[in-house]
């Protein structure tokens, strides 16, 4: 099974900060990685697919990079509506998908 | 517009059975895999398994194999997740999601609104 290690598990940041979240795969997954945002009580929303492609309608301050085993989600300038929990998802080993443990981004 | 509409919240007792549903619309239901995701209270997302409604090919995460049953009725564009004997530890929000994108390794592009299942005596 492919394990996804996401870091940090939680962080505090201020509006305007640059935020970086990392996911590491236990083995190579090419670019089969997506990033999701989940706000409390809401459905997860896909932000990035294929590691670096921005989902339609998602602000350009979100970006994704990486391939193989290391991936990064960056928020270039954190906005109030970005405080949420973020998850990575590997789908290289479909039909066995794996989520990362999540990163909670809180207000400093 | 692609939509996945899930059945409403359920409150059950331990040992009872349950079947929740996920109805797809706005796309060809039989041409996309449908997956199920569990989220226990205050916890992260967990992959449960997936079904291809076109031929009912079903795959389970090892963690959920034997614990739940995934099925689909393509005549009414609906996928199901069922339990034969619920436990308190099944209390969670359950999401269905369509798998789209790459043909060989699709990911979760559209999600249902979630079904909250509460199991309590």
């Amino acid at each position: 099974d492919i394990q996804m290690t996401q870091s940090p598990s939680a962080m505090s940041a201020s509006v305007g900060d640059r935020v970086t979240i990392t996911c590491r795969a236990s083995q190579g997954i090419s670019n089969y990685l997506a990033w999701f945002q989940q706000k409390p009580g809401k459905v997860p929303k896909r932000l990035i697919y294929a590691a670096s492609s921005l989902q339609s309608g998602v602000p350009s301050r979100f970006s994704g990079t990486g391939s193989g085993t290391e991936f990064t989600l960056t928020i270039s300038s954190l906005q109030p509506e970005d405080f949420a929990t973020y998850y990575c998802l590997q789908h290289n080993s479909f039909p066995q998908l794996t989520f990362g443990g999540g990163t909670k981004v809180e207000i400093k | 517009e692609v939509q996945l509409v899930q059945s409403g919240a359920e409150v059950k007792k331990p040992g009872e059975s349950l079947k929740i549903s996920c109805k797809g619309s706005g796309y060809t239901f039989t041409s996309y895999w449908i997956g199920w995701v569990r989220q226990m209270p205050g916890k992260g997302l967990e992959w449960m398994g997936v079904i291809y409604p076109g031929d009912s090919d079903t795959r389970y995460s090892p963690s959920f194999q034997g614990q739940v049953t995934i099925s689909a009725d393509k005549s009414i564009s609906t996928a199901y997740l069922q339990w034969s004997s619920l436990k308190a530890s099944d209390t969670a929000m359950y999401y269905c999601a369509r798998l789209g994108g790459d043909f060989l390794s699709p990911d979760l592009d559209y999600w249902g609104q979630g079904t909250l299942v509460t199991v309590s005596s």
Side-chain angles (χ1 to χ4, degrees), chain A residues 2 13 21 29 41 44 57 73 90:
Chain A
I2 298 176
I21 299 167
I29 59 170
L73 173 70
Q90 75 77 22

Side-chain angles (χ1 to χ4, degrees), chain A residues 1 32 34 36 38 42-44 46 49 87 89 91-92 94-97 99 101, chain B residues 33 39 44-45 47 59-62 95 99 102 104-109 111-112:
Chain A
D1 288 8
Y32 292 113
F36 295 85
Q38 187 180 33
K42 300 296 186 183
V43 179
R46 190 171 70 169
Y49 63 95
Y87 296 93
L89 169 72
H91 54 103
N92 178 73
F94 175 82
Q96 300 303 337
L97 280 61
F99 288 97
Chain B
W33 293 83
Q39 188 167 39
L45 304 171
W47 176 248
R59 316 290 180 89
Y60 295 93
S61 161
Y95 295 101
L99 282 90
D102 187 274
L104 293 178
S105 294
D107 77 299
L108 308 175
D109 58 358
W111 292 62

